[in-house]
PDB file of all heavy atoms in Angstrom:
ATOM      1  N   GLY D   9      14.046 -18.159  11.440  1.00  0.00           N
ATOM      2  CA  GLY D   9      14.864 -17.066  10.900  1.00  0.00           C
ATOM      3  C   GLY D   9      14.341 -15.672  11.296  1.00  0.00           C
ATOM      4  O   GLY D   9      15.083 -14.717  11.342  1.00  0.00           O
ATOM      5  N   GLY D  10      13.084 -15.646  11.622  1.00  0.00           N
ATOM      6  CA  GLY D  10      12.487 -14.327  12.050  1.00  0.00           C
ATOM      7  C   GLY D  10      12.008 -13.529  10.832  1.00  0.00           C
ATOM      8  O   GLY D  10      12.580 -13.626   9.774  1.00  0.00           O
ATOM      9  N   VAL D  11      10.969 -12.816  11.072  1.00  0.00           N
ATOM     10  CA  VAL D  11      10.341 -12.042   9.977  1.00  0.00           C
ATOM     11  C   VAL D  11      11.325 -11.035   9.417  1.00  0.00           C
ATOM     12  O   VAL D  11      11.492 -10.930   8.220  1.00  0.00           O
ATOM     13  CB  VAL D  11       9.072 -11.379  10.498  1.00  0.00           C
ATOM     14  CG1 VAL D  11       8.528 -10.395   9.475  1.00  0.00           C
ATOM     15  CG2 VAL D  11       8.019 -12.439  10.844  1.00  0.00           C
ATOM     16  N   ALA D  12      11.979 -10.314  10.310  1.00  0.00           N
ATOM     17  CA  ALA D  12      12.858  -9.200   9.808  1.00  0.00           C
ATOM     18  C   ALA D  12      13.938  -9.756   8.866  1.00  0.00           C
ATOM     19  O   ALA D  12      14.291  -9.185   7.861  1.00  0.00           O
ATOM     20  CB  ALA D  12      13.481  -8.495  10.995  1.00  0.00           C
ATOM     21  N   GLY D  13      14.498 -10.928   9.228  1.00  0.00           N
ATOM     22  CA  GLY D  13      15.570 -11.518   8.446  1.00  0.00           C
ATOM     23  C   GLY D  13      15.087 -11.857   7.071  1.00  0.00           C
ATOM     24  O   GLY D  13      15.788 -11.645   6.084  1.00  0.00           O
ATOM     25  N   VAL D  14      13.863 -12.334   6.957  1.00  0.00           N
ATOM     26  CA  VAL D  14      13.355 -12.707   5.624  1.00  0.00           C
ATOM     27  C   VAL D  14      13.053 -11.448   4.834  1.00  0.00           C
ATOM     28  O   VAL D  14      13.375 -11.355   3.619  1.00  0.00           O
ATOM     29  CB  VAL D  14      12.047 -13.570   5.804  1.00  0.00           C
ATOM     30  CG1 VAL D  14      11.411 -13.800   4.450  1.00  0.00           C
ATOM     31  CG2 VAL D  14      12.403 -14.877   6.454  1.00  0.00           C
ATOM     32  N   LEU D  15      12.465 -10.422   5.450  1.00  0.00           N
ATOM     33  CA  LEU D  15      12.085  -9.268   4.698  1.00  0.00           C
ATOM     34  C   LEU D  15      13.258  -8.565   4.051  1.00  0.00           C
ATOM     35  O   LEU D  15      13.130  -8.020   2.966  1.00  0.00           O
ATOM     36  CB  LEU D  15      11.359  -8.251   5.615  1.00  0.00           C
ATOM     37  CG  LEU D  15      10.041  -8.709   6.212  1.00  0.00           C
ATOM     38  CD1 LEU D  15       9.416  -7.596   7.087  1.00  0.00           C
ATOM     39  CD2 LEU D  15       9.052  -9.089   5.131  1.00  0.00           C
ATOM     40  N   THR D  16      14.419  -8.594   4.721  1.00  0.00           N
ATOM     41  CA  THR D  16      15.556  -7.858   4.162  1.00  0.00           C
ATOM     42  C   THR D  16      16.029  -8.502   2.853  1.00  0.00           C
ATOM     43  O   THR D  16      16.777  -7.888   2.108  1.00  0.00           O
ATOM     44  CB  THR D  16      16.721  -7.854   5.171  1.00  0.00           C
ATOM     45  OG1 THR D  16      17.045  -9.183   5.536  1.00  0.00           O
ATOM     46  CG2 THR D  16      16.365  -7.029   6.393  1.00  0.00           C
ATOM     47  N   LEU D  17      15.623  -9.729   2.599  1.00  0.00           N
ATOM     48  CA  LEU D  17      16.056 -10.361   1.327  1.00  0.00           C
ATOM     49  C   LEU D  17      15.310  -9.851   0.111  1.00  0.00           C
ATOM     50  O   LEU D  17      15.718 -10.088  -1.011  1.00  0.00           O
ATOM     51  CB  LEU D  17      15.805 -11.896   1.430  1.00  0.00           C
ATOM     52  CG  LEU D  17      16.544 -12.630   2.549  1.00  0.00           C
ATOM     53  CD1 LEU D  17      16.120 -14.080   2.560  1.00  0.00           C
ATOM     54  CD2 LEU D  17      18.052 -12.499   2.346  1.00  0.00           C
ATOM     55  N   TRP D  18      14.187  -9.170   0.372  1.00  0.00           N
ATOM     56  CA  TRP D  18      13.380  -8.769  -0.809  1.00  0.00           C
ATOM     57  C   TRP D  18      13.838  -7.417  -1.317  1.00  0.00           C
ATOM     58  O   TRP D  18      13.987  -6.478  -0.603  1.00  0.00           O
ATOM     59  CB  TRP D  18      11.916  -8.655  -0.403  1.00  0.00           C
ATOM     60  CG  TRP D  18      11.301  -9.861   0.205  1.00  0.00           C
ATOM     61  CD1 TRP D  18      11.824 -11.113   0.212  1.00  0.00           C
ATOM     62  CD2 TRP D  18      10.091  -9.917   0.956  1.00  0.00           C
ATOM     63  NE1 TRP D  18      11.030 -11.960   0.891  1.00  0.00           N
ATOM     64  CE2 TRP D  18       9.924 -11.241   1.352  1.00  0.00           C
ATOM     65  CE3 TRP D  18       9.118  -8.999   1.303  1.00  0.00           C
ATOM     66  CZ2 TRP D  18       8.814 -11.677   2.112  1.00  0.00           C
ATOM     67  CZ3 TRP D  18       8.027  -9.420   2.049  1.00  0.00           C
ATOM     68  CH2 TRP D  18       7.913 -10.734   2.425  1.00  0.00           C
ATOM     69  N   ALA D  19      14.030  -7.370  -2.598  1.00  0.00           N
ATOM     70  CA  ALA D  19      14.373  -6.085  -3.261  1.00  0.00           C
ATOM     71  C   ALA D  19      13.111  -5.223  -3.277  1.00  0.00           C
ATOM     72  O   ALA D  19      12.029  -5.712  -3.632  1.00  0.00           O
ATOM     73  CB  ALA D  19      14.847  -6.312  -4.670  1.00  0.00           C
ATOM     74  N   SER D  20      13.230  -3.966  -2.912  1.00  0.00           N
ATOM     75  CA  SER D  20      12.057  -3.079  -2.963  1.00  0.00           C
ATOM     76  C   SER D  20      11.716  -2.847  -4.415  1.00  0.00           C
ATOM     77  O   SER D  20      12.595  -2.857  -5.284  1.00  0.00           O
ATOM     78  CB  SER D  20      12.304  -1.788  -2.256  1.00  0.00           C
ATOM     79  OG  SER D  20      12.924  -0.866  -3.126  1.00  0.00           O
ATOM     80  N   PRO D  21      10.420  -2.617  -4.698  1.00  0.00           N
ATOM     81  CA  PRO D  21      10.048  -2.386  -6.112  1.00  0.00           C
ATOM     82  C   PRO D  21      10.811  -1.171  -6.697  1.00  0.00           C
ATOM     83  O   PRO D  21      11.122  -1.137  -7.887  1.00  0.00           O
ATOM     84  CB  PRO D  21       8.566  -2.098  -6.021  1.00  0.00           C
ATOM     85  CG  PRO D  21       8.112  -2.662  -4.751  1.00  0.00           C
ATOM     86  CD  PRO D  21       9.263  -2.611  -3.796  1.00  0.00           C
TER      87      PRO D  21
END
Side-chain angles (χ1 to χ4, degrees):
V11 170
V14 172
L15 294 182
T16 55
L17 299 176
W18 304 346
S20 85

